[in-house]
Amino acid sequence: KAGVTQTPRYLIKTRGQQVTLSCSPISGHRSVSWYQQTPGQGLQFLFEYFSETQRNKGNFPGRFSGRQFSNSRSEMNVSTLELGDSALYLCASSSYRGNEQFFGPGTRLTVL
Amino acid sequence: KNQVEQSPQSLIILEGKNCTLQCNYTVSPFSNLRWYKQDTGRGPVSLTIMTFSENTKSNGRYTATLDADTKQSSLHITASQLSDSASYICVVSAEYGNKLVFGAGTILRVKS
């Protein structure tokens, strides 16, 4: 069974731009969560989607948004990028809400 | 307030030695506790998951313990190998699995 895939793996953007990251969950998994990881803050929860609906949201500004499609694939978007948005963005999927999460390799975003 | 605290923040040990990582939590209501291993630049990978009624669980050279009364968990690594060098993250699931609380992680470096 293929694992969670994230694209792209690496991304370089400049301040003010916007970016879209993609996550394909494990086949059959319906819950997708997004996390931001920085050296100083550890893993910070962004949001969780289940059945195309956002179920939980972390404490991030409205510049961070996401969505989930009918095939459970998910995208997250960050608008008006800031230097502090540089981080590893991780996607995790689970078969159902509350079940064990399986993480993807992450997308390394660098904002210059 | 739901919190997970891990200690030590970082640790350096010699190859072949044992080590123990600590995780204290104040999360309610408790659902389960997971230990993840995260190699640099990769997504976290689950090592163990324990529910309230389990007090020990092993995965090869990794053994996790849970004391639900004192709200403490430990991850013991036996006969460490260079490949054990990674960040180890304790994650507690609350609210019947609908909320995950992440520890900041312990960075382990195994030297030859």
Side-chain angles (χ1 to χ4, degrees):
Chain A
K1 201 181 227 184
V4 178
T5 58
Q6 292 186 244
T7 56
R9 291 294 312 279
Y10 303 92
L11 205 50
I12 299 176
K13 292 284 188 179
T14 56
R15 278 184 300 174
Q17 287 187 308
Q18 68 98 28
V19 66
T20 299
L21 311 182
S22 181
C23 171
S24 292
I26 291 172
S27 178
H29 283 194
R30 297 167 59 192
S31 175
V32 173
S33 296
W34 287 91
Y35 299 89
Q36 181 195 67
Q37 187 176 38
T38 57
Q41 297 292 323
L43 272 161
Q44 304 286 314
F45 171 71
L46 279 157
F47 24 66
E48 176 201 4
Y49 286 89
F50 181 79
S51 294
E52 301 177 66
T53 302
Q54 189 179 91
R55 304 290 178 159
N56 265 321
K57 190 177 190 303
N59 296 324
F60 278 82
R63 301 185 296 109
F64 291 82
S65 63
R67 59 178 176 169
Q68 186 180 34
F69 302 95
S70 58
N71 61 359
S72 294
R73 191 177 70 84
S74 178
E75 289 181 346
M76 68 162 279
N77 185 76
V78 188
S79 62
T80 320
L81 284 166
E82 301 176 359
L83 295 179
D85 296 334
S86 294
L88 180 68
Y89 289 89
L90 290 161
C91 164
S93 77
S94 59
S95 55
Y96 199 81
R97 300 188 69 207
N99 288 1
E100 181 179 0
Q101 291 189 332
F102 295 84
F103 284 83
T107 293
R108 171 72 63 186
L109 172 64
T110 301
V111 182
L112 303 176
Chain B
K1 183 183 176 185
N2 290 326
Q3 277 188 314
V4 174
E5 294 184 353
Q6 292 188 242
S7 61
Q9 203 168 22
S10 62
L11 186 60
I12 301 175
I13 62 173
L14 288 175
E15 187 178 14
K17 297 295 186 183
N18 303 335
C19 68
T20 300
L21 314 181
Q22 299 290 342
C23 172
N24 297 336
Y25 62 92
T26 53
V27 174
S28 182
F30 174 89
S31 289
N32 57 59
L33 184 147
R34 305 166 186 179
W35 283 94
Y36 284 90
K37 177 188 177 189
Q38 184 177 22
D39 293 316
T40 303
R42 309 283 297 269
V45 174
S46 179
L47 292 174
T48 63
I49 178 170
M50 288 183 292
T51 59
F52 186 89
S53 59
E54 297 173 298
N55 55 25
T56 186
K57 185 163 279 190
S58 293
N59 178 357
R61 295 179 296 102
Y62 301 100
T63 299
T65 63
L66 174 65
D67 186 332
D69 291 331
T70 62
K71 300 187 177 181
Q72 295 179 325
S73 176
S74 65
L75 180 69
H76 186 74
I77 304 175
T78 305
S80 61
Q81 300 176 358
L82 297 178
S83 60
D84 292 330
S85 295
S87 178
Y88 292 84
I89 303 170
C90 175
V91 184
V92 181
S93 178
E95 298 180 15
Y96 311 104
N98 291 330
K99 185 176 178 67
L100 296 180
V101 186
F102 287 80
T106 292
I107 298 173
L108 173 65
R109 182 178 162 208
V110 180
K111 290 172 52 176
S112 58

